[in-house]
Amino acid sequence: MMNSTHQLMTSVEETEHKAVAYDLYEYLYGKGLSAYIPRVSLFTFSLILITAISTAYHLILMKRDKQLFNFKSWRKFGKFAQTEYKIFLPKFLDYYRFNFHPNDTDESDLVKQTKIKIGLTQSDSPLLH
C-alpha cells in the first residue's frame, strides 16, 4: 500500500503533466469538429459507465451493510454527494467547451503547496520546476 507522501508526489507529477495525453490527441486528430465530437462522446460514455458502476457498487455495499432502506444513510450520502458534485460538476462541464485545454486551469499554487507539504523544494531536486 502506498503511503501518503508517495501519493502526494504522484499527484504532483500527474498534475504537472496533465496535458501530455490531450496534446497528443490534438496532434493526432486536430482541433476541429471532427476531433471534438469523438472526444466529448467518449467522455460522456465514460462518465455514464463510471456512474453506473459506482452506483451499482454503492447499492451492493449498502445492501451488505443493511443500509439499503435506511433513510438516514441515504440522506447522509445525499449531503455528501451534493457537496462533492458542486466541486466537480463545473470541472466536468468545462471539458465540453470546444476550445478546452487541460492547461487552461492553473494548479501551480496547489502543486507548490503540495511540494512544501511533502518537504520538497526547488533545491531538493533537479526534477522539480
Side-chain angles (χ1 to χ4, degrees), residues 34-78:
S34 62
Y36 172 78
I37 291 173
R39 174 173 66 87
V40 298
S41 298
L42 288 172
F43 182 70
T44 302
F45 173 74
S46 299
L47 281 178
I48 291 169
L49 187 63
I50 289 168
T51 302
I53 292 170
S54 297
T55 301
Y57 192 63
H58 182 85
L59 293 171
I60 289 168
L61 290 175
M62 287 188 76
K63 182 179 179 189
R64 183 191 71 185
D65 293 343
K66 296 180 180 29
Q67 297 296 310
L68 195 55
F69 299 107
N70 183 337
F71 180 71
K72 187 176 178 182
S73 291
W74 281 104
R75 189 174 36 176
K76 184 177 177 182
F77 172 73

Side-chain angles (χ1 to χ4, degrees), residues 4-5 7-13 15 107-121:
S4 63
T5 301
Q7 290 171 330
L8 290 172
M9 288 175 63
T10 301
S11 70
V12 166
E13 180 73 16
T15 302
E107 282 118 0
S108 57
D109 286 340
L110 179 61
V111 168
K112 185 178 179 181
Q113 291 171 7
T114 305
K115 286 179 180 180
I116 290 169
K117 183 176 181 176
I118 58 179
L120 296 176
T121 62

